[in-house]
Amino acid sequence: MSPHILILGGTAEARRLAADLAARPGVRVTTSLAGRVARPSTRVGEVRIGGFGGAEGLADWLRTHGVDAVVDATHPFAESITANAARAATATGVPTVVLRRPGWSPGPGDRWYEVASLAAAAEALPGLGRRVFLTTGRLGLAAFAHLTDLHFVVRSVDPPEAPLPPHTEMILARGPFTLAEETELLRALAIDVLVTKDSGGDATAAKLTAARELGLPVVVVRRPPLPDGVTAVPDVTAVLDRLGFDGS
């Protein structure tokens, strides 16, 4: 019987993994997307959209669809689905691999302020700048809504959810972005502080280099911890190895 691999997540790593597995004879691949992005990138293999109904719903889906292994390649901040995947794996005995690209690390010249949450990021901002480039995605911006004296430039793929800070302008765009583009944007908008999540990867890392070169402070929201007993691998090759495929 052909192995059925369920990939959770819309990350670039999830796309690469799906393409690799789908190209292997006899392997069935299903990618599950949460549906939070209006126009998700094209996937190889089967695609399902929407949640499962918690850990129990995911466990039922695994049983019903004959899933042989799960790869959690969701965004590093997708806490709920990672926790649900871990519980579903325990309930069903289906092997599960967590794929997390390495996070960013500050280098010489960086002015990073690492915080544990969006609320902590909002608390840090008044002492760091007045024109904020906010690149934490479209969810959770209510944490900044009370900062009425600051001007925010919010960049996300889709329009953010209200409430928003009263002085907000929007940039709807999908990465990757070049260093030249990010530097020009920060200068043109007179940004004096950047806020980002530690998403890792190259697609949106240029903004960190641009901030360093311009001498701007960066508020970095740290990743939430993985569930107890769960470890992660850093790349597609490591996932393929865990699944018993040749990753060369």
Side-chain angles (χ1 to χ4, degrees), residues 93-186:
V94 174
T96 299
V97 183
V98 178
L99 170 57
R100 290 289 183 275
R101 56 183 176 250
W104 294 316
S105 298
D110 282 322
R111 296 173 57 198
W112 282 21
Y113 298 83
E114 297 188 53
V115 297
S117 65
L118 292 176
E123 185 176 346
L125 279 177
L128 296 175
R130 299 188 62 82
R131 293 185 61 83
V132 184
F133 187 32
L134 190 56
T135 64
T136 56
R138 71 184 188 88
L139 303 177
L141 300 189
F144 304 91
H146 66 287
L147 297 174
T148 58
D149 293 334
L150 305 184
H151 181 89
F152 288 85
V153 177
V154 175
R155 182 169 69 192
S156 65
V157 176
D158 293 317
E161 295 185 352
L164 302 175
H167 306 294
T168 297
E169 59 182 294
M170 290 298 312
I171 298 176
L172 299 182
R174 187 196 302 267
F177 307 101
T178 68
L179 175 58
E181 290 170 338
E182 297 292 61
T183 301
E184 174 58 27
L185 184 147
L186 294 175

Side-chain angles (χ1 to χ4, degrees), residues 207-245:
K207 63 191 173 188
L208 300 173
T209 304
R212 180 195 310 135
E213 294 182 353
L214 295 173
L216 303 182
V218 181
V219 180
V220 180
V221 182
R222 293 190 296 269
R223 297 178 176 189
L226 292 169
D228 290 343
V230 174
T231 59
V233 298
D235 54 37
V236 169
T237 299
V239 171
L240 294 170
D241 182 63
R242 286 280 190 94
L243 295 177
F245 294 104

